[in-house]
């Protein structure tokens, strides 16, 4: 169960037992600095046009990988929704009250709570990128950053 999660599920929801072992390992490349300190305060989807700015603070060991990014680029940010439950198979969103399979929803509640958002790159200051349009709490781990579209011949997705 995720931190701050009281374990309750809505009518129609089904939880799965979690596996004892993991299949893979990840490296968090940094943390997102967000104006939101609680999940309840986060928007359902970020607003790249008028929403608040977020800072992507990249760990020093990964900062050389920022070479080639430029202000004005659109970047895809993949981040780990670390406060989300991971055991629900069926979910009943508050918005419509209809039960759906987890893989049919954009909910952060999923076996691997990975979020992916394309955002404008507003500033680069050393190892910190400023973007707008995310929807996460302060301290959210960053999994990866990549250009929203390939610029280099022979680049694969």
């Amino acid at each position: 169960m995720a931190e701050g999660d009281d374990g309750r599920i809505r009518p129609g929801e089904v939880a799965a037992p979690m596996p004892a072992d993991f299949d893979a390992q990840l490296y968090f490349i940094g943390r997102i600095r967000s104006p939101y300190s609680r999940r309840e305060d986060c928007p359902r989807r970020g607003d790249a046009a008028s929403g608040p700015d977020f800072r992507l603070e990249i760990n020093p060991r990964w900062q050389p990988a920022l070479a080639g990014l430029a202000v004005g680029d659109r970047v895809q940010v993949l981040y780990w929704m670390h406060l989300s439950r991971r055991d629900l198979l069926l979910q009943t969103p508050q918005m419509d009250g209809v039960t759906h399979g987890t893989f049919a929803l954009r909910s952060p509640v999923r076996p691997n709570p990975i979020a992916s958002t394309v955002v404008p790159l507003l500033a680069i200051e050393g190892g910190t990128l400023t973007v707008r349009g995310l929807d996460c709490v302060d301290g959210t781990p960053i999994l990866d950053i990549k250009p929203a579209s390939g610029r280099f011949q022979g680049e694969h997705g």
Side-chain angles (χ1 to χ4, degrees):
M1 218 176 326
E3 176 183 319
D5 192 338
D6 61 10
R8 289 181 288 177
I9 60 176
R10 297 183 186 110
E13 293 184 333
V14 173
M18 296 303 290
D21 297 320
F22 291 95
D23 296 322
Q25 295 179 349
L26 298 169
Y27 295 108
F28 295 148
I29 64 167
R31 297 278 173 174
I32 298 172
R33 294 299 160 210
S34 164
Y36 307 112
S37 59
R38 301 175 325 140
R39 289 187 315 179
E40 300 80 32
D41 298 334
C42 295
R44 291 211 179 269
R45 292 210 178 127
D47 184 352
S50 62
D53 291 352
F54 292 76
R55 290 186 336 274
L56 309 181
E57 295 179 348
I58 307 304
N59 293 340
R61 80 171 52 205
W62 305 113
Q63 289 178 9
L66 298 173
L69 289 178
V71 171
D73 286 350
R74 291 184 54 77
V75 294
Q76 180 181 23
V77 181
L78 288 91
Y79 46 108
W80 189 259
M81 303 295 269
H82 62 294
L83 300 178
S84 295
R85 289 182 74 129
R86 299 178 68 181
D87 64 340
L88 291 185
L89 302 171
L90 299 175
Q91 299 181 47
T92 307
Q94 288 179 321
M95 292 177 6
D96 67 6
V98 177
T99 301
H100 303 275
T102 290
F103 300 141
L105 298 170
R106 290 190 52 83
S107 166
V109 177
R110 46 199 335 103
N112 295 304
I114 298 170
S116 172
T117 306
V118 175
V119 294
L121 181 51
L122 305 174
I124 303 171
E125 296 176 29
T128 300
L129 308 178
T130 302
V131 300
R132 184 175 299 134
L134 297 177
D135 57 358
C136 58
V137 298
D138 189 54
T140 295
I142 303 168
L143 295 173
D144 205 351
I145 299 167
K146 40 175 93 176
S149 61
R151 286 185 261 172
F152 303 103
Q153 184 136 12
E155 184 175 333
H156 300 289

